[in-house]
Amino acid sequence: MLVAFSIPASATCPCVTIDTDTINGSIFYETREVFPGDGGGGGNYWAERTFTVPGNVKIARVHTGVWMLGSGNVEITVNGVSSGPRSASGTCDCNAINDSDMHDYCTGCGVHFITYDATGDIPVGGGDVTVKVESTNADDGRLYTIALLVVYENESMANMTYWINEGAWYIGAGPGYVYFNGTYPPGVTDVTYWTLGMPHGIQIHPDLNGHYIGNPDYHEGDVYDFWRWDNINTDWLDPASNLMYYSGPGGWERVDAAVFRLWRQPPELPDLIVEDIEFPEMMRPGTSYTINATVKNQGIGGTGGTFNVSLEVDSYSDKVTGVGPLDAGKSTTVSFTNVNLG
Protein backbone atom coordinates (compact mmCIF):
# COMPACT_ATOMS: atom_id res chain seq x y z
CA MET A 1 0.00 0.00 0.00
CA LEU A 2 1.31 3.47 -0.91
CA VAL A 3 1.71 5.92 1.94
CA ALA A 4 1.98 9.70 1.87
CA PHE A 5 5.24 11.56 2.35
CA SER A 6 5.35 15.26 2.99
CA ILE A 7 7.19 16.65 0.00
CA PRO A 8 6.75 19.71 -2.24
CA ALA A 9 4.30 18.90 -5.00
CA SER A 10 2.56 20.65 -7.84
CA ALA A 11 -1.17 21.11 -7.19
CA THR A 12 -2.14 19.94 -10.65
CA CYS A 13 -0.81 19.74 -14.20
CA PRO A 14 -3.31 20.55 -16.98
CA CYS A 15 -3.98 17.61 -19.31
CA VAL A 16 -3.42 19.33 -22.65
CA THR A 17 -3.37 18.29 -26.29
CA ILE A 18 0.04 17.21 -27.57
CA ASP A 19 -1.18 15.84 -30.91
CA THR A 20 -4.36 16.00 -33.02
CA ASP A 21 -5.11 15.15 -36.64
CA THR A 22 -7.67 13.70 -39.05
CA ILE A 23 -6.54 10.52 -40.82
CA ASN A 24 -7.69 7.14 -42.07
CA GLY A 25 -6.62 4.61 -39.47
CA SER A 26 -7.15 3.74 -35.83
CA ILE A 27 -5.70 3.77 -32.30
CA PHE A 28 -3.90 1.05 -30.33
CA TYR A 29 -3.75 1.76 -26.59
CA GLU A 30 -2.91 -0.96 -24.07
CA THR A 31 -1.54 -1.12 -20.52
CA ARG A 32 0.39 -3.75 -18.59
CA GLU A 33 0.45 -4.40 -14.84
CA VAL A 34 3.98 -4.04 -13.43
CA PHE A 35 3.66 -2.79 -9.81
CA PRO A 36 5.97 -2.63 -7.98
CA GLY A 37 8.46 -3.81 -10.60
CA ASP A 38 11.45 -6.12 -10.28
CA GLY A 39 14.79 -5.34 -8.71
CA GLY A 40 14.40 -5.75 -4.98
CA GLY A 41 13.68 -2.19 -3.88
CA GLY A 42 16.04 0.37 -2.43
CA GLY A 43 14.99 2.93 -5.04
CA ASN A 44 15.85 0.61 -7.93
CA TYR A 45 13.06 -1.07 -9.89
CA TRP A 46 12.59 -2.20 -13.44
CA ALA A 47 9.88 -3.83 -15.56
CA GLU A 48 9.67 -5.04 -19.15
CA ARG A 49 6.55 -5.80 -21.19
CA THR A 50 5.83 -6.64 -24.85
CA PHE A 51 3.06 -5.27 -27.06
CA THR A 52 2.04 -6.37 -30.57
CA VAL A 53 1.22 -3.29 -32.62
CA PRO A 54 0.06 -2.49 -36.18
CA GLY A 55 2.32 -0.96 -38.81
CA ASN A 56 2.31 2.47 -40.48
CA VAL A 57 2.72 4.24 -37.15
CA LYS A 58 2.04 7.98 -37.12
CA ILE A 59 2.82 8.57 -33.44
CA ALA A 60 3.74 6.29 -30.55
CA ARG A 61 3.86 7.25 -26.85
CA VAL A 62 5.04 5.27 -23.83
CA HIS A 63 3.08 6.16 -20.68
CA THR A 64 4.44 5.05 -17.33
CA GLY A 65 4.60 6.14 -13.71
CA VAL A 66 7.14 6.19 -10.89
CA TRP A 67 6.40 6.85 -7.24
CA MET A 68 8.78 9.15 -5.36
CA LEU A 69 11.45 9.48 -8.04
CA GLY A 70 13.13 12.26 -6.07
CA SER A 71 16.70 12.83 -7.24
CA GLY A 72 16.81 9.46 -8.96
CA ASN A 73 16.73 8.58 -12.64
CA VAL A 74 14.24 7.02 -15.01
CA GLU A 75 15.24 5.24 -18.22
CA ILE A 76 12.93 3.93 -20.97
CA THR A 77 14.08 1.41 -23.58
CA VAL A 78 11.98 0.53 -26.63
CA ASN A 79 13.10 -2.42 -28.75
CA GLY A 80 16.64 -2.05 -27.44
CA VAL A 81 16.87 1.72 -28.06
CA SER A 82 17.42 3.50 -24.74
CA SER A 83 16.46 7.01 -23.71
CA GLY A 84 19.42 7.05 -21.38
CA PRO A 85 18.90 7.93 -17.70
CA ARG A 86 16.93 11.13 -17.07
CA SER A 87 16.78 12.89 -13.70
CA ALA A 88 13.97 14.87 -12.13
CA SER A 89 16.64 16.56 -9.95
CA GLY A 90 14.51 16.25 -6.85
CA THR A 91 11.71 18.45 -8.19
CA CYS A 92 7.99 17.64 -8.17
CA ASP A 93 6.19 19.92 -10.60
CA CYS A 94 4.70 19.89 -14.09
CA ASN A 95 8.15 19.97 -15.71
CA ALA A 96 10.15 17.66 -13.45
CA ILE A 97 11.63 16.37 -16.72
CA ASN A 98 11.03 18.54 -19.77
CA ASP A 99 12.99 17.11 -22.67
CA SER A 100 11.95 16.99 -26.33
CA ASP A 101 11.21 13.25 -26.13
CA MET A 102 10.36 12.79 -22.42
CA HIS A 103 8.14 14.68 -20.00
CA ASP A 104 7.60 14.11 -16.28
CA TYR A 105 4.48 15.54 -14.61
CA CYS A 106 4.74 15.25 -10.82
CA THR A 107 1.77 15.98 -8.55
CA GLY A 108 0.61 15.25 -4.95
CA CYS A 109 2.50 12.64 -2.93
CA GLY A 110 5.33 12.43 -5.42
CA VAL A 111 3.45 10.64 -8.21
CA HIS A 112 5.42 11.02 -11.45
CA PHE A 113 3.53 10.48 -14.72
CA ILE A 114 6.16 10.09 -17.44
CA THR A 115 5.61 10.21 -21.20
CA TYR A 116 8.09 9.22 -23.88
CA ASP A 117 8.07 9.62 -27.66
CA ALA A 118 8.71 6.15 -29.11
CA THR A 119 7.58 6.88 -32.68
CA GLY A 120 10.98 6.21 -34.24
CA ASP A 121 11.44 2.95 -32.34
CA ILE A 122 8.40 1.12 -33.75
CA PRO A 123 9.04 -1.19 -36.75
CA VAL A 124 7.56 0.18 -40.00
CA GLY A 125 5.53 -2.97 -40.50
CA GLY A 126 4.48 -3.26 -36.87
CA GLY A 127 4.92 -6.40 -34.78
CA ASP A 128 6.28 -7.01 -31.29
CA VAL A 129 7.48 -3.99 -29.35
CA THR A 130 9.27 -4.51 -26.03
CA VAL A 131 9.25 -1.62 -23.56
CA LYS A 132 11.46 -1.53 -20.47
CA VAL A 133 11.17 1.09 -17.72
CA GLU A 134 13.81 1.41 -15.00
CA SER A 135 14.09 3.69 -11.96
CA THR A 136 17.44 4.01 -10.19
CA ASN A 137 18.53 5.77 -7.00
CA ALA A 138 14.97 6.97 -6.41
CA ASP A 139 13.49 7.91 -3.04
CA ASP A 140 11.11 4.96 -3.60
CA GLY A 141 11.02 4.16 -7.33
CA ARG A 142 8.16 1.68 -7.55
CA LEU A 143 6.54 1.50 -11.00
CA TYR A 144 2.79 1.79 -11.60
CA THR A 145 2.29 0.53 -15.16
CA ILE A 146 3.70 0.47 -18.69
CA ALA A 147 1.30 1.63 -21.40
CA LEU A 148 1.82 2.00 -25.13
CA LEU A 149 -0.29 4.34 -27.26
CA VAL A 150 0.00 4.06 -31.05
CA VAL A 151 -1.88 6.01 -33.72
CA TYR A 152 -1.54 4.26 -37.06
CA GLU A 153 -2.62 5.01 -40.61
CA ASN A 154 -4.49 2.69 -42.96
CA GLU A 155 -6.22 4.08 -46.04
CA SER A 156 -8.63 1.13 -46.14
CA MET A 157 -9.97 1.99 -42.66
CA ALA A 158 -12.50 4.57 -41.58
CA ASN A 159 -11.67 8.24 -41.24
CA MET A 160 -11.11 9.60 -37.73
CA THR A 161 -10.17 12.76 -35.88
CA TYR A 162 -8.22 12.22 -32.67
CA TRP A 163 -6.72 14.19 -29.80
CA ILE A 164 -3.97 12.97 -27.44
CA ASN A 165 -3.83 14.89 -24.16
CA GLU A 166 -1.13 14.47 -21.51
CA GLY A 167 -0.58 16.04 -18.10
CA ALA A 168 -1.70 15.08 -14.59
CA TRP A 169 -4.95 16.73 -13.62
CA TYR A 170 -5.09 16.10 -9.88
CA ILE A 171 -8.70 16.16 -8.66
CA GLY A 172 -7.55 16.83 -5.11
CA ALA A 173 -6.75 20.37 -6.29
CA GLY A 174 -10.27 20.99 -7.63
CA PRO A 175 -12.56 20.17 -10.55
CA GLY A 176 -10.89 18.90 -13.72
CA TYR A 177 -11.10 20.26 -17.26
CA VAL A 178 -9.85 18.31 -20.27
CA TYR A 179 -10.39 20.16 -23.55
CA PHE A 180 -10.33 18.79 -27.08
CA ASN A 181 -10.38 21.94 -29.16
CA GLY A 182 -10.60 22.42 -32.90
CA THR A 183 -13.08 21.90 -35.69
CA TYR A 184 -13.36 18.55 -37.44
CA PRO A 185 -15.07 17.12 -40.54
CA PRO A 186 -18.77 16.25 -40.31
CA GLY A 187 -20.31 12.78 -40.41
CA VAL A 188 -19.15 11.47 -37.02
CA THR A 189 -20.76 8.08 -36.31
CA ASP A 190 -18.96 7.04 -33.12
CA VAL A 191 -17.09 8.59 -30.17
CA THR A 192 -14.49 6.76 -28.05
CA TYR A 193 -12.69 8.09 -24.96
CA TRP A 194 -9.70 6.58 -23.12
CA THR A 195 -8.14 7.77 -19.85
CA LEU A 196 -5.17 6.69 -17.73
CA GLY A 197 -4.71 7.74 -14.09
CA MET A 198 -2.14 6.77 -11.45
CA PRO A 199 -2.45 5.58 -8.72
CA HIS A 200 -6.17 6.02 -9.45
CA GLY A 201 -8.29 7.57 -12.15
CA ILE A 202 -10.96 10.09 -11.19
CA GLN A 203 -13.75 7.91 -9.82
CA ILE A 204 -16.61 10.33 -10.50
CA HIS A 205 -16.76 10.04 -14.26
CA PRO A 206 -16.95 13.15 -16.43
CA ASP A 207 -19.55 15.09 -18.36
CA LEU A 208 -19.03 15.70 -22.08
CA ASN A 209 -20.28 19.22 -22.77
CA GLY A 210 -22.70 18.90 -19.85
CA HIS A 211 -23.81 15.32 -20.53
CA TYR A 212 -22.77 12.56 -18.10
CA ILE A 213 -21.01 9.82 -20.07
CA GLY A 214 -21.72 7.08 -17.51
CA ASN A 215 -19.58 4.14 -16.50
CA PRO A 216 -16.76 2.97 -18.77
CA ASP A 217 -17.14 -0.05 -21.05
CA TYR A 218 -13.65 -1.34 -20.21
CA HIS A 219 -11.30 -1.14 -17.22
CA GLU A 220 -7.79 -2.35 -16.34
CA GLY A 221 -5.54 -1.69 -13.40
CA ASP A 222 -4.86 -2.12 -9.70
CA VAL A 223 -2.61 0.79 -8.73
CA TYR A 224 -3.72 2.63 -11.87
CA ASP A 225 -7.00 2.98 -13.75
CA PHE A 226 -7.20 2.56 -17.52
CA TRP A 227 -10.72 3.22 -18.77
CA ARG A 228 -12.40 3.25 -22.17
CA TRP A 229 -15.84 4.50 -23.09
CA ASP A 230 -17.33 3.25 -26.37
CA ASN A 231 -20.24 4.65 -28.39
CA ILE A 232 -20.61 7.98 -26.59
CA ASN A 233 -23.63 9.86 -27.93
CA THR A 234 -22.60 11.88 -31.02
CA ASP A 235 -25.38 14.40 -30.34
CA TRP A 236 -23.34 15.67 -27.36
CA LEU A 237 -20.48 16.88 -29.55
CA ASP A 238 -19.66 20.53 -30.12
CA PRO A 239 -18.39 21.38 -33.62
CA ALA A 240 -15.40 23.38 -32.35
CA SER A 241 -14.59 22.67 -28.69
CA ASN A 242 -15.32 19.60 -26.57
CA LEU A 243 -14.87 19.50 -22.81
CA MET A 244 -14.67 16.55 -20.43
CA TYR A 245 -15.48 18.06 -17.04
CA TYR A 246 -14.68 16.26 -13.79
CA SER A 247 -16.65 17.69 -10.89
CA GLY A 248 -14.94 15.75 -8.10
CA PRO A 249 -14.51 15.48 -5.20
CA GLY A 250 -11.74 12.91 -5.05
CA GLY A 251 -8.61 11.83 -3.28
CA TRP A 252 -5.39 10.66 -4.97
CA GLU A 253 -7.14 10.62 -8.37
CA ARG A 254 -5.85 11.92 -11.69
CA VAL A 255 -6.33 12.16 -15.42
CA ASP A 256 -2.78 11.66 -16.67
CA ALA A 257 -3.58 10.83 -20.28
CA ALA A 258 -6.81 11.30 -22.24
CA VAL A 259 -7.45 10.21 -25.81
CA PHE A 260 -10.56 11.36 -27.68
CA ARG A 261 -11.52 9.83 -31.04
CA LEU A 262 -14.27 10.83 -33.45
CA TRP A 263 -14.89 8.03 -35.93
CA ARG A 264 -16.53 8.45 -39.33
CA GLN A 265 -17.59 5.01 -40.49
CA PRO A 266 -18.12 5.09 -44.26
CA PRO A 267 -21.56 4.14 -45.58
CA GLU A 268 -22.02 0.43 -46.14
CA LEU A 269 -21.79 0.65 -49.91
CA PRO A 270 -20.89 -2.03 -52.45
CA ASP A 271 -17.71 -1.76 -54.52
CA LEU A 272 -17.72 -4.05 -57.56
CA ILE A 273 -14.53 -5.03 -59.35
CA VAL A 274 -13.67 -7.54 -62.09
CA GLU A 275 -11.39 -9.93 -60.19
CA ASP A 276 -10.62 -12.26 -63.12
CA ILE A 277 -11.53 -12.75 -66.76
CA GLU A 278 -11.12 -15.94 -68.80
CA PHE A 279 -10.56 -15.64 -72.55
CA PRO A 280 -10.15 -18.60 -74.91
CA GLU A 281 -6.52 -19.32 -75.77
CA MET A 282 -7.24 -18.31 -79.37
CA MET A 283 -10.19 -16.47 -80.93
CA ARG A 284 -10.86 -16.74 -84.67
CA PRO A 285 -12.98 -14.31 -86.69
CA GLY A 286 -16.49 -15.53 -87.43
CA THR A 287 -16.50 -17.97 -84.50
CA SER A 288 -18.54 -17.60 -81.31
CA TYR A 289 -16.94 -18.05 -77.91
CA THR A 290 -17.80 -17.83 -74.20
CA ILE A 291 -15.93 -15.39 -71.98
CA ASN A 292 -16.24 -15.72 -68.21
CA ALA A 293 -15.67 -12.81 -65.82
CA THR A 294 -15.43 -13.07 -62.03
CA VAL A 295 -17.03 -10.08 -60.35
CA LYS A 296 -16.27 -9.42 -56.67
CA ASN A 297 -17.95 -7.06 -54.24
CA GLN A 298 -15.00 -5.64 -52.25
CA GLY A 299 -17.19 -3.09 -50.49
CA ILE A 300 -18.63 -3.27 -46.98
CA GLY A 301 -22.26 -3.41 -48.10
CA GLY A 302 -24.28 -5.65 -50.39
CA THR A 303 -25.67 -4.49 -53.73
CA GLY A 304 -29.23 -4.85 -52.41
CA GLY A 305 -30.43 -5.67 -55.91
CA THR A 306 -29.30 -6.80 -59.33
CA PHE A 307 -26.79 -5.03 -61.56
CA ASN A 308 -25.47 -5.20 -65.13
CA VAL A 309 -22.03 -6.28 -66.35
CA SER A 310 -20.75 -5.12 -69.75
CA LEU A 311 -18.03 -6.50 -72.02
CA GLU A 312 -16.34 -4.21 -74.54
CA VAL A 313 -13.59 -5.30 -76.96
CA ASP A 314 -12.72 -2.74 -79.63
CA SER A 315 -16.03 -2.12 -81.43
CA TYR A 316 -17.72 -5.17 -79.90
CA SER A 317 -19.95 -4.79 -76.84
CA ASP A 318 -22.26 -7.06 -74.90
CA LYS A 319 -24.19 -6.82 -71.64
CA VAL A 320 -25.44 -9.34 -69.07
CA THR A 321 -28.35 -7.98 -67.04
CA GLY A 322 -29.87 -9.10 -63.76
CA VAL A 323 -26.64 -10.19 -62.07
CA GLY A 324 -26.81 -10.56 -58.29
CA PRO A 325 -27.65 -9.45 -55.69
CA LEU A 326 -24.11 -9.78 -54.35
CA ASP A 327 -23.22 -9.52 -50.65
CA ALA A 328 -20.08 -7.82 -49.35
CA GLY A 329 -16.98 -9.93 -49.88
CA LYS A 330 -18.72 -12.34 -52.26
CA SER A 331 -17.92 -13.14 -55.90
CA THR A 332 -19.93 -14.40 -58.83
CA THR A 333 -19.12 -15.59 -62.36
CA VAL A 334 -20.71 -13.78 -65.30
CA SER A 335 -20.69 -15.59 -68.67
CA PHE A 336 -20.80 -13.78 -72.01
CA THR A 337 -21.92 -16.34 -74.59
CA ASN A 338 -21.83 -16.16 -78.37
CA VAL A 339 -19.06 -13.60 -78.36
CA ASN A 340 -18.10 -13.10 -82.02
CA LEU A 341 -15.48 -10.50 -82.77
CA GLY A 342 -16.23 -10.61 -86.50
Side-chain angles (χ1 to χ4, degrees):
M1 179 178 179
L2 302 185
V3 296
F5 283 76
S6 178
I7 63 169
S10 175
T12 194
C13 299
C15 190
V16 299
T17 301
I18 61 99
D19 188 55
T20 180
D21 204 353
T22 297
I23 63 169
N24 287 78
S26 193
I27 292 172
F28 170 99
Y29 196 12
E30 291 186 0
T31 66
R32 300 287 188 268
E33 294 270 7
V34 301
F35 185 83
D38 299 316
N44 301 288
Y45 291 90
W46 65 272
E48 184 176 281
R49 297 293 186 270
T50 298
F51 304 80
T52 302
V53 305
N56 297 320
V57 172
K58 183 178 185 294
I59 184 172
R61 309 286 290 179
V62 173
H63 291 158
T64 190
V66 181
W67 189 45
M68 300 286 291
L69 183 59
S71 298
N73 298 315
V74 63
E75 184 172 356
I76 297 175
T77 303
V78 181
N79 277 353
V81 180
S82 172
S83 66
R86 311 288 177 89
S87 174
S89 301
T91 59
C92 186
D93 58 30
C94 297
N95 295 298
I97 298 174
N98 188 17
D99 297 337
S100 61
D101 60 347
M102 185 184 293
H103 204 112
D104 177 3
Y105 306 86
C106 181
T107 51
C109 198
V111 177
H112 293 254
F113 171 60
I114 300 167
T115 71
Y116 180 66
D117 182 4
T119 307
D121 303 324
I122 308 296
V124 174
D128 287 346
V129 175
T130 299
V131 180
K132 181 180 180 181
V133 177
E134 185 174 10
S135 64
T136 53
N137 301 316
D139 290 352
D140 183 274
R142 282 178 279 181
L143 309 175
Y144 291 106
T145 184
I146 298 175
L148 183 62
L149 168 64
V150 173
V151 177
Y152 60 97
E153 298 183 276
N154 187 328
E155 288 301 320
S156 68
M157 299 183 72
N159 186 258
M160 69 172 184
T161 302
Y162 70 89
W163 290 259
I164 299 173
N165 285 32
E166 295 175 348
W169 193 284
Y170 175 44
I171 197 66
Y177 303 84
V178 183
Y179 286 94
F180 306 98
N181 292 329
T183 59
Y184 51 87
V188 175
T189 58
D190 187 66
V191 180
T192 307
Y193 183 51
W194 294 260
T195 64
L196 177 64
M198 292 173 272
H200 302 292
I202 299 176
Q203 302 297 309
I204 297 178
H205 300 307
D207 295 342
L208 171 60
N209 302 325
H211 301 275
Y212 178 58
I213 68 172
N215 292 324
D217 297 282
Y218 180 79
H219 172 260
E220 282 183 4
D222 184 12
V223 292
Y224 70 95
D225 286 306
F226 177 67
W227 285 316
R228 188 187 71 235
W229 287 260
D230 301 320
N231 305 311
I232 297 173
N233 194 328
T234 59
D235 292 337
W236 300 344
L237 293 173
D238 184 272
S241 179
N242 289 281
L243 167 64
M244 288 291 186
Y245 171 72
Y246 293 84
S247 61
W252 307 109
E253 302 172 3
R254 295 164 175 80
V255 177
D256 294 318
V259 179
F260 194 57
R261 180 181 69 183
L262 308 183
W263 187 275
R264 282 171 287 275
Q265 184 66 36
E268 294 187 357
L269 299 176
D271 183 10
L272 301 178
I273 61 169
V274 177
E275 192 174 41
D276 189 30
I277 188 165
E278 297 177 2
F279 289 97
E281 291 185 5
M282 180 178 295
M283 299 183 69
R284 300 180 183 277
T287 303
S288 296
Y289 297 91
T290 296
I291 295 177
N292 296 317
T294 301
V295 178
K296 181 178 181 178
N297 181 2
Q298 66 175 6
I300 62 173
T303 61
T306 60
F307 54 92
N308 303 330
V309 179
S310 297
L311 172 69
E312 295 182 1
V313 181
D314 295 330
S315 61
Y316 178 87
S317 65
D318 193 7
K319 179 190 294 184
V320 175
T321 61
V323 180
L326 192 60
D327 292 336
K330 301 297 183 181
S331 300
T332 188
T333 299
V334 179
S335 296
F336 297 88
T337 59
N338 298 317
V339 176
N340 191 329
L341 301 183

